[in-house]
Amino acid sequence: MKTINAKTAQEFLGLVLSTAQREPVTIEQDGLPVAVIISPEDYMILEALEEAYWAEHGQDAPSDEAASAFEDSDRLLHSSLIN
């Protein structure tokens, strides 16, 4: 897994995205990990693993208020990035 600081990630976003197609890229800010960029294929695998985990434990994936709030903030972030 590659690790890069946030400022460099901004400057070389294309390279970061290209690298993430081959391996996860951790983004750090002030020396702490704040995000990991992965390929869509890896994300789909993680989603499938999560679903399998919850199915094995006889439950649906959690859908509590925190998850709802996260989805709302995600939509807000995307809309602010587009505008």
Side-chain angles (χ1 to χ4, degrees):
M1 179 182 312
K2 300 281 186 192
T3 301
I4 191 169
N5 69 49
K7 182 154 180 65
T8 303
Q10 273 185 308
E11 293 173 16
F12 298 98
L13 182 59
L15 182 59
V16 171
L17 296 175
S18 177
T19 301
Q21 299 309 305
R22 295 183 304 281
E23 63 182 312
V25 178
T26 300
I27 308 296
E28 291 185 343
Q29 191 168 29
D30 299 324
L32 299 172
V34 294
V36 177
I37 300 177
I38 60 173
S39 69
E41 293 82 10
D42 287 348
Y43 181 75
M44 289 172 43
I45 291 168
L46 288 174
E47 287 280 300
L49 287 171
E50 180 184 22
E51 288 297 320
Y53 171 85
W54 289 110
E56 184 175 311
H57 289 83
Q59 301 174 350
D60 289 331
S63 59
D64 58 8
E65 291 179 17
S68 178
F70 178 78
E71 290 170 3
D72 291 343
S73 65
D74 190 46
R75 278 192 289 277
L76 178 62
L77 174 63
H78 286 321
S79 68
S80 66
L81 291 174
I82 292 172
N83 295 329

